[in-house]
Structure formats: C-alpha cells, structure tokens
C-alpha cells in the first residue's frame, strides 16, 4: 500500500468533511477518450492469445503498482480487466476486476452521481461484511473511497479503523460514477473480508444523485454471488464452432414442481475428430400468461440444471435417429435403451454463465473419437407451478484444432436416493460419497489420470462441499473445496497444475449442510427441496469410467434410525427397490394421489423414494410398530445433539455401498459394501500459516484529536434495514 496515497486520501476526507464551505465550483470532469490506450488494450484483447493476455495482466500489475502519485483525474487506467460482471439485472452497476497473487483491483461503474457502495461477505447481508464506499465530489471532481464494515449484529456500516482500500482514479459523467481502487486479497485486518477461492457474496448499493461526502440512504441495493479469483477461461479463439443442443418449445405442465426431461440429439456431422472446449447455457423459458408465452429474464427461468451425456454406440441407428427427431421423454418414461447415455460431457447448473476447458484439454466430438448421439437432461424446478413453454439447452463450442489431451467427465458423490438423509435443525451436518479403490484399481490406467477441474453440486441447504483425495493411508490436499457454497452460483473450479490420480486412490465427496431453516428431514432427490452431493470431475486421458458413487446400504441405514423390520418386505427387497433405477436414478412419476397432495400442499418435491418411505410400515422394534418410516423420521428428537451426532457419525464412518459405472452402463467393478476407508485426515492448517506482512494506515485516533480529526471519527456510517447504506458526515 502506498503510504503517500493514503495520507493524501485521508486529507481529502478530512478537508471535505470539515470545510463544506470550500466550494471551488470546478466543473465535473469531461472524460478525455484516451484513444491511444483504449485502442492498445483492445488490440491486445483481440489478437493476443490467452496466454499472452494472462501475461499482460501480470505485467501491467508490475508496472501499475509502482505508481507513486495520487491523481484522481487520471480516470482511464490502462488496466486490462480480466473479469466484468453486472451486479444487477439492469446493468446499473458493473464491476470489473483483475487480480495478482496478493492484491485485487476493481473498477466500479455505477449509474448514479452520488456514492456507490460495494461489499464482500459470506452471507447475503451486510452483518459482518467488509464494505467500501466511493464517490466523486460534484464540487471539485475528486474521487474518494472509504473502507467500512458492518457490525456483527447490526445492519449498518461503520468506518474501519484502518483504511485498506487505495483509490486509483475516479470520475463521473452525466449519469455514471466510475471509480478504480485496489486492496490486498488478505489485508490482515479483522474488519476486512479475506478474498479467497470460495464463493463471495458481492453486495452493492447506489446513493442518490449528489450524495457525495454526506451520504444519505441508498436508492437501490442488492447482492450477487461471485468467485472473484476464478481464473480466466474463455479463449479468444476464432476457430470455435457452435452446436446448439436445445429443446424445441417443450410445454411444461403447471402441476409438476420437479420435472426431468430427456431428449436425444445427433452430433453435427464432422468427418474428423474435433474437440469440445466449452459450453454456454441457452435459457429460453416463456411462462404462459393469459394464454400467451412471455419471455422472462434468465433468473426467473425454472431451468435448474442441465447435463449433456454422451451415448455409447448402439447398432440400431435407425431408432436413435427417430428419437433424435422427437421431442424427448419425461425422465422415468424414457426408453430403457437410453441408459447407455451415461458419460456427462457438459454439466450446467443455475448461476453459471458456462465454462471453457483449460487450454490443454478437449472432449472429442465427431467421427473417430466422438459419439454419434447425445442425451440432454434438463431439470426444471417449477415451484411456482407456472405453465411454461421452454426451449432451453446448451451451446457447445468446438474446434478442429485439437488440444493436447482427450478429456472426459466423471460423476462422483452420493447416489441420488431417499437413503441420503439430512435431519432438520442442524448447523453443520455432514454426509459423504465414496469412489473407492476397488473401482479405481480396475478402471484407472497404470500411468494414472490428471484431474483438471471439478464442478461441485448440491442443493439449497449445502454450505460446504469438498472433494478429498486419499492415497494409501494418507489424505492428500483437497482436489477442490468450496466453503461458502451458494446454489445460485455454480461454476467449475480449476485444479491448479492438475492433480495426478492413480489406481487404488479414493475420491471422497463430502457435503456439509445447514438445515436450521427446515422443520422436517431432507431426503436425497432431484427436487430443489431435496438434496444431492455430487462432483463432476474433468480429467484426461479418457477412460471407460463414467460414474463412481456410493450410498448407505438399506439395512445399515434403517438400523441407524432404530428400525429392524418392516411389514411385508425384508431388507434385501427394500434395498433392491432403492437400487432399481426408478428410485436411484430417476424420480418416480407422481401417482395421482401424490399429485393431488402436492397441489394441495402447494407442492413439495415428492419422489425419489420419498413416497416409498411413506409406505414402509415398521414392524420391529415394538416401540415404533405400525408407524411409517417417514412418520418415524419426522418424530425423532432432532434437537438432541447426542442423537444427531451419533447418526451423522454412524452414516459417515459406517458402511458404504459403492457403484462403479462404465460409459456403456455396465459395471466397472461389482457393487460392494465397504467400510469408510482408514486414513490420516488432513489437518486444517490454513490459519496457522497466514503471513501478514501487509501494513496499512490507521486513521488518527480520537484521543489526540484536533478539530479536524474529530470530525473524521464521527464518520458513523449507518445502515438502516439490511443493505441500506447511509453515511452521516458529521
Ligand atoms: C458515462 O460513464 C459510463 C460508465 O463509464 C458509460 O457507460 C457511459 O456511456 C457514460 N455516459 C456518457 C454520456 O458519456
Ligand atoms: C440522477 O440523475 C440522472 C440524470 O440527471 C437521472 O437520469 C437519474 O434518474 C437520477 N437518479 C436518481 C436516483 O435520482
Ligand atoms: C399394528 O397393526 C396390526 C394390524 O393392522 C394390529 O393387529 C396390531 O394390533 C397393531 N399393533 C399396535 C402396537 O398398534
Ligand atoms: C487404521 O490405520 C492405522 C494406521 O495405519 C492403524 O493403526 C489402525 O489400526 C487402522 N484401523 C483400522 C480400523 O483398520
Ligand atoms: C501446521 O502448522 C504448524 C505451524 O505452522 C506446523 O508446525 C505443522 O507442521 C503444520 N502441520 C501440518 C500437518 O501441515
């Protein structure tokens, strides 16, 4: 941090607060267009390859940070912004940023001539948030930033004791305020948020016109989840071609809150192997209002996630061609032949703008390498029960310029079924899915595979997801980890440098849920009200392994909840019912009764064996006799921590039934029941190794106050209700 800059900045703040009469009436800055720099930056963006671009960003950093003189009128920096996001739907607030290993520089363009507030938090509110407020003074055109924070238990903002944001430049035109500023990723200041790899809730607020220095209540505010340190991914590659895999006006009935739709697509006719290198979502959902379809904003679409699967070869091309011409099927009703479509090639979930693969890998498509047919599976979460005309799908980007390696996706985690239970009212409840050594021993080649990126996926109550890697008796560093999961924002995470994974290694997907907002147990399933715990692992070279999941065996599962026997079925039969594809892989078509019920109760996703849980009537032990299992589950004393801890531990550390699926839907290893593997867990040493060399400038303390500093300390920054930003300057 540049000391001189800060002192200058502090002086500005003090002067402004103290001398409101000092009106110099300097007209607002006119923006010189700075054509040279812009043109240069543009050229770099257009013609530089990604590597050059990345290097440029690193270089500009080295130069930029030697800047010594603070000059608020040098509004156009020559920085190339690696990222650019609209924080609101209208684009009234645009955030651009670029980071180095230790610091991050922002450019904030906001449609106001007053102040603009930006914040970082792990929650979607300002309690305990790191906040920064910036504005350009209408009187003299000087830009200013103020580092603030939200107290733990109050919705207001207070100026930090230590100012960790450094203003680079700022200006305003007739409509917008634009400021550039930077900070360290970790400022070593407890009043600031550490910007790291996890998902961050980025908060924003806009002040009314003219609110410079004395900052009244905001006019607008909001939040958006983002991962700020995500590496660049979209290549500037003009050789890219597109294949749109989308439904064609599917009519979604208003009676189903959860709908899985599957449709077959034929790959573009390519004479040689190409590589798929990325995809973007195509969201086109039109609710029927007054009998007419109305196109709505993406954020209101019921499309919850989409997966494109490659289908293994089937000699009966004629029938597959016919399917490719059809509209598709409701998941459970799809033809059984479609079960050979198991290898995921693209997995999109809401909040993602799409993905581009790392530069050294591509997924084969076209003759000699790719498949002929693909299956798109779209999950609609239509809790509002609208009738919708939907033509959503995925745009695949592919290229004839082959990458170094053929990659493939592997699904891992917990098999989707009602045997995955999260009790209500738990703050940190953990479940795990294992991809064990029996499977990797047979399916992974001797030279191993390299994992390049991971998409972690669960639903709304998940708070953390991590993908663990065990070799022998040792846990290796996490392959990927998200400690602040937000279901509204799912992007895959690059594994820096790749991770070598060998025969016999184990992958463990661990999910931690916060179910404090729920009154009943959450069961595993496809509906957004149910839960999942999955990782989609991108790796090379391709193998036959497509899916590697586990679940608790039925006998152990029910015994954990104190149940020994049901009327009419034995545990083997119960297990087989869960294993049969209708429960483990696809939701059951709701029966008329359930449908009526879900209409009456305003719909809770009721499938994946939940209905079956209601039909199982307990015979043994006598104290639970004649209750259904679901009723029993709902009556357990979940507020007893000893009970829930015991259940969590038994299911986590106990038996796991593992499934090892190949891309043609055959088994890579027999279904087995295994113990939780025995290994030394990684200790969480993050906090210990933090090195805080960074020093910042303290605002002068009150005790030594002269009249000027006193004013600075009464910068009590008040936020009324959540996110209402009000700053009072005296
Ligand atoms: C004002 O600045 C904003 C943000 O830089 C820009 O988008 C907008 O076009 C500018 N308006 C005018 C009239 O120059
Ligand atoms: C601020 O001023 C601009 C231009 O005069 C106007 O379009 C805009 O609506 C004003 N915003 C507010 C919040 O008053
Ligand atoms: C359970 O139900 C059976 C048959 O419906 C009945 O004979 C039996 O008495 C019931 N037992 C208890 C404990 O309610
Ligand atoms: C787990 O491994 C450790 C060290 O290798 C060993 O001491 C311990 O007995 C093992 N526990 C089980 C249950 O196998
Ligand atoms: C954890 O950190 C301490 C102190 O930095 C160090 O001595 C210890 O070796 C670390 N442990 C692990 C497992 O990395």
């Amino acid at each position: 941090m540049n000391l001189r800059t800060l002192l200058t900045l502090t002086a500005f703040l003090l002067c402004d607060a103290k001398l409101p009469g000092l009106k110099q009436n300097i007209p607002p800055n006119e923006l010189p267009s700075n054509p040279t720099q812009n043109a240069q930056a543009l050229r770099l963006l257009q013609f530089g390859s990604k590597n050059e671009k990345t290097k440029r960003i690193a270089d500009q950093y080295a130069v930029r940070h030697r800047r010594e003189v603070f000059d608020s009128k040098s509004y156009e920096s020559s920085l190339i912004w690696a990222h650019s996001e609209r924080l609101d739907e209208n684009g009234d607030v645009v955030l651009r940023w670029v980071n180095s290993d230790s610091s991050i520089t922002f450019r904030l363009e906001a449609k106001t001539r007053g102040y603009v507030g930006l914040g970082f938090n792990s929650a979607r509110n300002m309690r305990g948030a790191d906040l920064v407020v910036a504005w350009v003074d209408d009187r003299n055109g000087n830009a200013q930033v103020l580092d603030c924070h939200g107290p733990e238990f109050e919705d207001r903002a207070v100026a930090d004791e230590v100012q960790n944001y450094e203003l680079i430049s700022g200006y305003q035109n007739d409509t917008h305020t634009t400021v550039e500023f930077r900070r360290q990723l970790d400022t070593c200041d407890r009043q600031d948020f550490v910007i790291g790899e996890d998902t961050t809730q980025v908060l924003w607020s806009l002040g009314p016109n003219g609110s410079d220095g004395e900052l009244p209540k905001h006019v607008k505010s909001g939040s958006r989840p983002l991962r700020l340190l995500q590496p660049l991914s979209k290549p500037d590659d003009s050789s890219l071609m597109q294949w749109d895999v989308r439904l064609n006006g599917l009519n979604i009935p208003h009676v189903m809150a959860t709908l899985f739709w599957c449709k077959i697509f034929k790959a573009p006719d390519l004479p040689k192997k190409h590589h798929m290198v990325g995809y973007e979502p195509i969201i086109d959902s039109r609710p029927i209002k007054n009998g007419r379809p109305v196109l709505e904003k993406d954020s209101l679409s019921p499309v919850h996630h989409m997966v494109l699967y490659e289908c293994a070869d089937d000699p009966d091309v004629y029938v597959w061609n016919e399917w490719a011409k059809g509209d598709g099927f409701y998941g459970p009703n799809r033809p059984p032949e479609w079960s050979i479509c198991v290898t995921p090639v693209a997995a999109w979930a809401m909040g993602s703008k799409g993905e581009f693969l790392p530069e050294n890998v591509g997924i084969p498509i076209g003759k000699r390498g790719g498949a002929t047919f693909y299956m798109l599976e779209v999950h609609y979460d239509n809790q509002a029960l609208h009738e919708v005309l939907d033509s959503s799908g995925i745009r695949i980007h592919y290229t004839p310029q082959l990458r170094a390696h053929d990659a493939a996706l592997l699904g891992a985690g917990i098999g989707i079924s009602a045997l995955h239970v999260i009790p209500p009212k738990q703050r940190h409840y953990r479940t795990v899915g294992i991809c064990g050594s029996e499977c990797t021993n047979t399916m992974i080649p001797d030279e191993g595979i390299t994992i390049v990126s991971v998409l972690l996926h669960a639903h709304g109550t998940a708070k953390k997801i991590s993908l663990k890697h065990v070799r022998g008796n040792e846990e290796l560093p996490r392959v990927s980890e998200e400690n602040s999961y937000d279901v509204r924002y799912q992007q895959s995470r690059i594994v820096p440098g790749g991770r070598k994974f060998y025969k016999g290694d184990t992958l463990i997907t661990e999910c931690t849920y916060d179910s404090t907002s729920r009154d009943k147990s959450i069961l595993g399933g496809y509906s957004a009200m149910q839960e999942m715990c999955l990782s989609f692992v991108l790796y090379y070279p391709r193998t036959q392994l497509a899916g590697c999941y586990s679940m608790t065996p039925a006998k152990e599962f029910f015994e954990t909840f104190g149940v020994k026997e049901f009327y009419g079925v034995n545990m083997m039969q119960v297990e087989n019912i869960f294993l049969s594809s209708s429960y483990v892989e696809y939701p059951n078509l709701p029966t008329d009764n359930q449908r009526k019920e879900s209409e009456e109760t305003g719909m809770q996703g009721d499938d994946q064996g939940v209905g079956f849980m209601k039909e199982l009537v307990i015979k043994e032990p006598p104290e639970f006799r004649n209750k259904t299992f679901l009723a029993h589950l709902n009556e357990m004393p979940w507020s007893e921590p000893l009970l829930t801890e015991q259940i969590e531990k038994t299911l986590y550390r106990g038996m796991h039934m593992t499934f090892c699926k190949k891309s043609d839907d055959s088994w890579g290893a027999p279904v087995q029941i295994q113990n939780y593997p025995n290994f030394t867990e990684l200790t969480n040493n993050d906090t210990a190794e933090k090195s805080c060399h960074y020093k910042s400038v303290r605002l002068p303390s009150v005790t030594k106050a002269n009249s000027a500093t006193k004013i600075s300390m009464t910068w009590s920054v008040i936020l009324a209700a959540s996110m209402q930003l009000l700053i009072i300057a005296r």
Side-chain angles (χ1 to χ4, degrees):
M1 167 63 97
N2 183 324
L3 202 80
R4 194 138 36 110
T5 307
L6 254 171
L7 291 177
T8 319
L9 171 58
T10 313
F12 270 130
L13 292 177
L14 300 183
C15 293
D16 261 22
K18 188 189 167 199
L19 304 168
L22 190 84
K23 285 211 170 88
Q24 292 182 331
N25 249 345
I26 298 169
N29 293 301
E30 291 300 318
L31 218 202
S33 53
N34 206 345
T36 7
Q37 276 178 346
N38 278 338
Q40 205 181 358
L42 212 63
R43 258 201 309 279
L44 283 168
L45 277 173
Q46 281 167 349
F47 298 110
S49 78
K50 190 190 126 189
N51 272 340
E52 277 169 43
K53 185 172 161 191
T54 314
K55 183 170 171 296
R56 268 273 136 191
I57 288 169
D59 290 351
Q60 75 191 1
Y61 240 88
V63 176
R64 173 65 46 185
H65 292 164
R66 272 186 247 121
R67 176 196 275 271
E68 292 280 302
V69 187
F70 171 72
D71 172 9
S72 82
K73 293 188 178 69
S74 68
Y75 10 73
E76 276 297 324
S77 74
S78 57
L79 287 172
I80 298 166
W81 305 100
H83 304 271
S84 173
E85 295 285 348
R86 294 168 156 209
L87 296 186
D88 63 324
E89 291 268 351
N90 302 333
D92 287 352
V93 189
V94 176
L95 184 67
R96 302 180 205 276
W97 71 97
V98 54
N99 68 283
S100 69
D101 289 345
S102 59
S103 69
I104 184 163
T105 306
F106 294 102
R107 175 188 173 96
L108 192 52
E109 296 165 10
K111 194 173 170 194
T112 177
R113 282 178 54 92
Y115 69 82
V116 51
L118 185 70
F120 307 102
N121 206 358
S122 48
R124 289 177 211 167
N125 60 49
M126 53 184 308
R127 298 193 172 192
D130 184 8
L131 304 167
V132 54
V133 185
W135 66 91
V136 177
D137 197 305
D138 287 344
R139 291 163 298 177
N140 51 27
N142 285 324
Q144 301 176 350
V145 287
L146 183 66
D147 188 357
C148 301
H149 65 276
E152 206 63 47
F153 302 108
E154 283 172 274
D155 287 325
R156 63 191 195 98
V158 176
D160 282 10
E161 272 169 62
V162 179
Q163 293 290 306
N164 295 98
Y165 285 83
E166 175 190 3
L167 181 68
I168 296 172
S169 69
Y171 67 92
Q172 60 188 3
N173 61 18
D174 287 348
T175 53
H176 285 71
T177 296
T178 301
V179 280
E180 292 181 10
F181 49 88
R182 67 182 281 262
R183 57 167 279 180
Q184 300 296 310
L185 296 174
D186 182 359
T187 60
C188 301
D189 176 349
R190 263 184 297 166
Q191 292 174 334
D192 290 332
F193 186 83
V194 179
I195 295 180
E197 296 291 334
D198 291 329
T199 299
T200 301
Q201 300 295 335
V202 177
L203 319 174
W204 59 272
S205 68
L206 290 184
N209 288 337
S211 55
D212 306 332
E214 41 174 301
L215 304 164
K217 184 183 160 179
H218 75 276
V219 273
K220 275 188 192 170
S221 68
S223 73
R224 213 195 130 168
L226 288 171
R227 276 178 53 225
L228 295 164
L229 303 190
Q230 182 163 263
L232 300 169
S233 65
K234 188 163 186 165
D236 311 319
D237 183 348
S238 53
S239 77
L240 290 189
M241 300 189 275
Q242 282 78 38
W243 173 34
D244 285 359
V245 184
R246 60 193 294 192
L247 302 178
N248 181 19
L250 174 69
N251 208 322
I252 303 174
H254 63 85
V255 291
M256 293 174 77
T258 298
L259 172 66
F260 269 71
W261 194 261
C262 296
K263 172 166 164 41
I264 299 294
F265 291 84
K266 191 169 186 181
D269 191 14
L270 302 169
K272 69 178 194 82
K273 182 166 101 176
H274 285 54
H275 267 155
M276 291 188 214
V277 298
Y279 66 89
E280 288 169 298
I282 304 168
I283 304 293
D284 182 342
S285 303
R286 302 171 192 231
I288 313 277
K289 291 187 176 162
N290 304 321
R292 294 161 146 254
V294 187
L295 188 59
E296 284 200 329
K297 285 175 182 159
D298 286 3
S299 57
L300 298 171
S301 163
V303 179
H304 180 275
H305 75 248
M306 300 185 274
V307 184
L308 184 66
Y309 297 91
E310 193 181 285
C311 306
D313 276 341
D314 182 328
D316 195 355
V317 175
Y318 175 79
V319 61
W320 284 84
N321 271 326
E322 291 303 304
W323 281 326
K325 289 177 203 154
D327 288 337
F329 287 90
Y330 174 59
N333 295 355
R334 62 182 195 159
E337 291 89 335
W338 293 19
S339 64
I340 60 174
C341 308
V342 281
T343 314
V345 292
W348 175 88
M350 68 196 205
S352 166
K353 295 206 296 187
E355 304 282 347
F356 282 84
L357 306 184
E359 283 168 355
N360 58 340
V361 296
I363 297 177
I365 181 172
K367 297 231 165 58
R368 287 182 257 284
T372 313
F373 295 98
Y374 291 82
M375 182 182 80
L376 179 70
E377 174 191 86
V378 184
H379 169 189
Y380 296 98
D381 178 38
N382 189 14
Q383 304 287 338
L385 296 175
H386 285 132
E387 191 173 346
V388 181
L389 193 66
D390 194 83
S391 305
S392 298
I394 288 177
R395 169 166 299 160
I396 298 287
H397 296 266
Y398 62 98
T399 172
Q401 288 165 13
L402 294 183
R403 305 275 183 90
H405 303 285
D406 283 355
L409 269 175
L410 160 68
I414 301 181
I416 298 164
S417 87
L419 295 182
H420 178 202
V421 167
I422 295 119
K425 302 288 167 213
Q426 307 302 307
R427 207 159 275 289
H428 311 280
Y429 187 86
R430 297 185 309 160
T431 62
V432 275
I434 294 172
C435 174
S437 53
E438 289 77 9
C439 182
T440 65
N441 252 327
T442 53
M443 297 304 300
I444 303 294
D446 288 344
E447 59 288 2
I449 57 172
T450 303
I451 298 175
V452 288
S453 74
V454 181
L455 175 73
L456 301 167
H457 179 75
H459 288 170
T461 50
K463 281 290 154 297
K464 295 182 188 182
I465 308 178
S466 64
L467 183 60
K468 303 181 174 190
H469 183 184
V470 177
R471 182 172 297 157
N473 293 329
E474 294 281 341
E475 181 182 358
L476 303 178
R478 304 275 148 81
V479 180
S480 197
E481 189 166 32
E482 169 61 67
N483 293 302
S484 199
Y485 182 75
D486 185 333
V487 69
R488 300 181 307 163
Y489 181 70
Q490 304 183 38
Q491 295 255 264
S492 67
R493 312 165 70 87
I494 303 279
V495 179
R499 169 65 61 86
K500 208 73 198 175
F501 186 87
Y502 290 107
K503 259 180 186 313
D505 288 2
T506 297
L507 274 181
I508 299 177
T509 309
E510 179 193 89
C511 292
T512 308
Y513 301 91
D514 178 347
S515 62
T516 44
S517 65
R518 305 285 282 266
D519 297 321
K520 289 187 174 168
S521 290
I522 304 162
L523 305 187
Y526 288 92
S527 147
M529 297 302 286
Q530 298 171 310
E531 270 301 345
M532 291 188 178
C533 180
L534 296 175
S535 26
F536 291 96
V537 178
L538 183 79
Y539 68 94
Y540 68 85
R542 279 162 85 84
T543 72
Q544 286 296 302
L545 182 58
C548 190
Y549 303 93
S550 77
M551 66 180 211
T552 306
K555 183 167 180 288
E556 278 74 15
F557 174 85
F558 290 110
E559 275 177 1
T560 306
F561 296 95
V563 173
K564 297 242 179 308
E565 203 185 335
F566 295 109
Y567 283 111
V569 278
N570 66 35
M571 282 298 171
M572 278 294 280
Q573 290 166 321
V574 171
E575 190 159 275
N576 284 335
I577 287 169
F578 278 103
L579 286 181
S580 72
S581 62
S582 61
Y583 282 112
V584 176
E585 281 175 17
Y586 285 96
N588 238 11
L589 189 65
T591 63
D592 282 347
N593 263 346
Q594 285 166 349
R595 204 178 278 150
K596 206 179 293 153
E597 197 171 295
S598 67
E599 277 166 35
E600 281 162 6
T601 58
M603 92 293 125
Q604 284 253 335
D606 191 288
D607 31 46
Q608 290 74 55
V610 181
F612 183 51
M613 295 285 213
K614 277 185 195 160
E615 286 158 24
L616 286 172
V617 180
I618 300 169
K619 187 173 175 196
E620 292 296 334
E623 54 270 39
F624 306 143
R625 186 166 296 163
N626 289 7
K627 271 191 212 171
T628 71
F629 182 71
L630 204 62
H632 170 61
L633 208 54
N634 287 333
E635 285 166 23
M636 290 187 72
W638 294 121
S639 53
E640 279 300 325
L642 281 181
L643 171 80
T644 48
E645 274 164 30
Q646 189 55 45
I647 287 175
E648 177 184 24
K649 192 169 157 216
T650 309
L651 294 174
Y652 190 112
R653 303 269 167 199
M655 301 294 204
H656 297 267
M657 185 182 242
T658 56
F659 309 94
C660 182
K661 270 267 163 98
K662 286 164 64 170
S663 47
D664 60 0
D665 199 34
S666 63
W667 296 113
V671 174
Q672 318 206 337
I673 294 181
Q674 66 163 89
N675 279 311
Y676 187 74
N678 183 14
F679 62 91
T680 319
E681 292 193 19
L682 211 61
T683 53
N684 212 346
N685 230 5
D686 286 352
T687 42
E689 62 195 39
K690 194 179 284 177
S691 60
C692 276
H693 302 309
Y694 179 70
K695 269 263 176 239
S696 207
V697 175
R698 219 158 250 283
L699 286 179
S701 96
V702 197
T703 46
K704 304 185 266 170
N706 59 30
S707 58
T709 53
K710 206 176 262 160
I711 291 163
S712 82
M713 290 316 293
T714 50
W715 276 79
S716 62
V717 184
I718 297 161
L719 275 177
S722 78
M723 292 292 302
Q724 296 184 352
L725 199 49
L726 269 167
I727 303 190
I728 294 166
R730 86 208 61 180

